[in-house]
Amino acid sequence: MRLLLISDTHLPARARALPEQVWDEVAAADVVVHAGDWVEAGLLDELAARSKRLIGVHGNNDGADLRARLPEIARADLGGVRLAVIHETGAKQGREQRCDAQFPDTDVLVFGHSHIPWDTTTPAGLRLLNPGSPTDRRRQPFCTYQTAVVEGGALTDVELHELPRRG
């Protein structure tokens, strides 16, 4: 099962559209995960229409319309991998311990908010993934997203992808 992980798209505030490379990944993915800060519902509708399966949450920049359609925390069992998605996990310091306490029955937690790619494993074995942002790099050198594979009840082949800079 191929996963596409994105967050913090901020459309149309930070870009007019998702990059074509990301849409190609949507087409290839069995599950698209969006960790919040969509900003407008148009992308939610388009991703829902073009994804085989979409799992998403609302973020701090999402208004009432998106909050009415998306949860704060989403959970799913993907081929035996217990996935949770949330927009914010708080400060970098102490993140692993907070997430272990908040998500004890989770194998993988996808989060966003910072626009900073993240891939660590907590002391309890929880995999923490932040795909960064495909549209707003902020202080990062590149806009980014992640892909991964669920195989045999485990998450494998987690890869961070850098997008070419926009001209």
Side-chain angles (χ1 to χ4, degrees):
M1 178 184 313
R2 184 169 171 81
L3 310 181
L4 168 61
L5 311 177
I6 58 176
S7 187
D8 298 283
T9 46
H10 292 268
L11 294 181
R14 298 291 182 224
R16 292 187 185 129
L18 282 183
E20 280 306 311
Q21 182 176 333
V22 176
W23 283 118
D24 291 344
E25 295 284 2
V26 169
D30 297 298
V31 180
V32 175
V33 177
H34 192 301
D37 273 4
W38 310 69
V39 178
E40 289 191 0
L43 179 60
L44 173 58
D45 295 334
E46 191 170 4
L47 271 176
R50 294 173 67 171
S51 301
K52 294 176 186 83
R53 180 175 180 189
L54 177 62
I55 300 169
V57 297
H58 65 75
N60 61 299
N61 284 298
D62 296 328
D65 58 337
L66 286 161
R67 288 171 186 265
R69 295 175 61 187
L70 296 164
E72 180 181 2
I73 300 171
R75 297 178 189 274
D77 185 302
L78 301 178
V81 173
R82 299 169 300 174
L83 175 82
V85 185
I86 191 169
H87 184 62
E88 295 185 60
T89 60
K92 179 170 85 169
Q93 291 74 21
R95 177 176 287 143
E96 281 83 6
Q97 293 75 18
R98 280 192 313 276
C99 291
D100 274 344
Q102 189 176 358
F103 297 94
D105 297 323
T106 303
D107 300 311
V108 177
L109 176 64
V110 178
F111 67 98
H113 187 61
S114 67
H115 299 218
I116 299 170
W118 188 275
D119 183 353
T120 60
T121 302
T122 70
L126 173 63
R127 185 83 176 258
L128 300 176
L129 297 173
N130 183 330
S133 170
T135 55
D136 184 11
R137 65 184 180 86
R138 288 202 182 153
R139 293 171 298 282
Q140 300 305 301
F142 296 96
C143 290
T144 58
Y145 64 92
Q146 290 171 325
T147 56
V149 173
V150 172
E151 187 171 41
L155 187 74
T156 65
D157 301 325
V158 175
E159 187 175 346
L160 180 69
H161 301 268
E162 296 176 347
L163 290 157
R165 287 187 181 225
R166 294 190 305 254

